[in-house]
């Protein structure tokens, strides 16, 4: 990993839940030595990507990040074009819907919409979605670049007792997702939640992110699963079209087969 990449990678540790980070803590979570980390922080500070809070002496994102984010959204709109489909998805399913985008080997949260139908609902409060433990992350492993698997197996944190914490188990899970067209995370990140996702594509024709629904596990029935999948397909098509992409024919085929098989199983039982 080059010095530039190492320096920029430090920015990924800042989030809404962790807006300020001290040098020692950043060294621990980034697994870097203090001298190198401090040197990288100084370079980022000169460029305006971070700044030091004069009161706490901790580091936080700088104004240059805001400018880049505004330029990115203005020239390659992503978030605004998800709002309508996410609202419809939430209304139809009664559950929390959200969109993640792939950048490098990480899945970042882009937008979320919570349903008001239930008092107890999923709250999306993370910025980077673990590839091996979330529906959107598993969707990325199934339909994104092959290089993502190496990134995933390098950190198989067992968030719950259901999380795949061995490479072979994860690969088996991903293979099953490739046969249905839907990412699926059953209590693997939070024990109380179950999630389903569908891939998103942009103008390059490549996997660009995922649209997902997170449901409280006690509400997740076969009927709700079918409803979520039906409306995930609609949202995936709409968002992909807004991003200049289309759903590949093979994934459309997987969706059709998956829902048909599920319907036959339900009516035959």
């Amino acid at each position: 990993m080059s010095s530039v990449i190492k320096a920029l990678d430090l920015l990924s540790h800042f989030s809404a839940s962790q807006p300020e980070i001290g040098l020692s803590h950043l060294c621990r979570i980034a697994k870097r030595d203090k001298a190198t980390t401090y040197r990288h922080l100084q370079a980022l500070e000169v460029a305006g990507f971070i700044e030091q809070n004069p009161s706490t002496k901790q580091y936080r994102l700088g104004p240059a990040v805001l400018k880049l984010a505004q330029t990115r959204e203005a020239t390659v709109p992503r978030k605004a074009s998800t709002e309508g489909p996410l609202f419809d998805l939430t209304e139809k399913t009664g559950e929390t819907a959200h969109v993640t985008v792939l950048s490098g080997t990480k899945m970042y949260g882009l937008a979320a919409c919570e349903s008001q139908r239930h008092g107890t609902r999923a709250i999306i409060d993370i910025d980077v979605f673990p590839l091996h433990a979330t529906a959107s992350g598993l969707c990325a492993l199934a339909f994104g670049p092959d290089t993502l698997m190496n990134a995933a197996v390098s950190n198989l944190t067992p968030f719950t007792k259901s999380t795949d914490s061995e490479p072979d188990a994860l690969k088996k899970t991903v293979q099953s997702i490739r046969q249905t067209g839907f990412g699926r995370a059953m209590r693997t990140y939070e024990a109380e939640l179950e999630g389903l996702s569908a891939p998103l594509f942009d103008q390059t024709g490549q996997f660009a992110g995922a649209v997902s629904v997170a449901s409280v596990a006690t509400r997740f029935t076969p009927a709700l699963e079918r409803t979520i999948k039906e409306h995930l397909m609609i949202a995936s098509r709409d968002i992909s079209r807004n991003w200049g992409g289309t759903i590949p024919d093979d994934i459309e085929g997987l969706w059709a087969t998956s829902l048909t098989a599920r319907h036959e199983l339900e009516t035959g039982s």
Side-chain angles (χ1 to χ4, degrees):
M1 190 185 297
S2 71
S3 295
V4 173
I5 295 175
K6 287 182 178 179
L8 292 175
D9 188 63
L10 293 176
L11 299 176
S12 67
H13 296 288
F14 294 89
S15 65
S17 59
Q18 190 170 235
E20 293 191 0
I21 310 175
L23 175 59
S24 296
H25 183 50
L26 188 56
C27 290
R28 287 195 296 272
I29 60 179
K31 299 178 182 179
R32 313 269 182 85
D33 65 85
K34 184 169 289 188
T36 302
T37 302
Y38 181 64
R39 186 170 68 251
H40 289 159
L41 287 173
Q42 285 184 307
L44 291 170
E45 189 171 13
V46 170
F49 291 115
I50 64 168
E51 61 185 14
Q52 197 170 25
N53 185 328
S55 300
T56 65
K57 303 302 180 184
Q58 293 188 327
Y59 293 94
R60 60 192 181 193
L61 294 178
V65 174
L66 177 61
K67 180 178 183 299
L68 291 176
Q70 292 173 333
T71 302
R72 164 73 182 185
E73 186 63 20
T75 57
V76 188
R78 285 288 189 265
K79 186 173 183 177
S81 59
T82 69
E83 292 177 356
L86 274 184
F87 178 80
D88 291 341
L89 182 57
T90 298
E91 286 292 294
K92 297 296 185 181
T93 64
E95 303 293 342
T96 298
H98 62 101
V99 168
T100 48
V101 292
L102 177 66
S103 179
T105 59
K106 294 181 179 180
M107 289 288 281
Y108 293 96
L110 178 68
C113 183
E114 295 178 15
S115 172
Q116 302 302 311
R117 190 179 304 178
H118 305 286
T120 303
R121 53 185 179 270
I123 304 296
I124 307 302
D125 57 358
I126 58 174
D127 298 295
V128 180
F129 289 70
L131 294 173
H132 69 296
T134 60
S136 53
L138 290 166
C139 194
L141 291 177
F143 305 110
D146 294 337
T147 53
L148 293 180
M149 182 58 73
N150 290 333
V153 300
S154 68
N155 183 17
L156 295 177
T157 302
F159 294 101
T160 73
K161 64 180 182 180
S162 300
T163 308
D164 287 333
S165 55
E166 296 295 333
D168 288 345
L170 178 61
K171 291 174 183 178
K172 185 177 180 180
T173 296
V174 171
Q175 186 56 39
S176 68
I177 290 171
R178 289 183 178 136
Q179 296 172 358
T180 67
F182 296 99
R184 187 184 181 101
M186 304 291 100
R187 304 174 185 252
T188 53
Y189 183 68
E190 293 185 47
E192 302 81 14
L193 299 180
E194 304 203 6
L196 289 168
S197 66
L200 299 172
F201 297 83
D202 61 15
Q203 76 285 353
T204 68
Q206 302 299 309
F207 175 88
V211 56
S212 308
V213 171
S215 171
V216 172
T218 54
R219 280 201 300 270
F220 196 81
T221 63
L224 178 59
E225 177 181 349
R226 183 176 180 84
T227 296
I228 290 173
K229 286 182 175 180
E230 289 174 343
H231 292 285
L232 274 176
M233 291 190 300
I234 296 171
S236 177
R237 293 176 187 131
D238 289 346
I239 295 172
S240 293
R241 182 172 60 251
N242 291 343
W243 289 2
T246 57
I247 305 301
D249 291 340
D250 59 336
I251 291 181
E252 288 280 6
L254 289 173
W255 288 346
T257 301
S258 176
L259 286 177
T260 299
R262 186 74 192 183
H263 179 66
E264 292 175 348
L265 180 63
E266 291 170 357
T267 55
S269 60

